[in-house]
Amino acid sequence: MQRCSRRISTVGAAQFRNQIITTAMSAGGDSGSLTRDFAGKAVGLLFAGSPVVTIHNDITNVMQALNIKLATAD
């Protein structure tokens, strides 16, 4: 997993920071899926994909932006 920042400028600029970039590991309809590490810990929320890469929002940023906590089995 690689963490990086990207800036996309178009009409009405959008800026994406701290995105997680992985190999192409998604398919159409996967957006919004939870991304987990090998230990099963939530690390991201799938945002976009292409034949080359998949982009995930860092789960900590998602939880802060939505003011939510993940439910756990504890």
Side-chain angles (χ1 to χ4, degrees), residues 2-57:
Q2 175 185 9
R3 294 179 187 265
C4 69
S5 297
R6 296 280 187 257
R7 180 167 174 80
I8 301 171
S9 293
T10 60
V11 176
Q15 187 173 32
F16 300 93
R17 295 182 181 178
N18 301 318
Q19 300 293 291
I20 302 168
I21 309 296
T22 64
T23 58
M25 57 179 281
S26 63
D30 285 349
S31 294
S33 297
L34 186 66
T35 307
R36 300 184 304 166
D37 64 14
F38 289 109
K41 179 184 172 193
V43 294
L45 196 65
L46 200 147
F47 171 64
S50 77
V52 179
V53 299
T54 299
I55 304 172
H56 315 259
N57 293 304

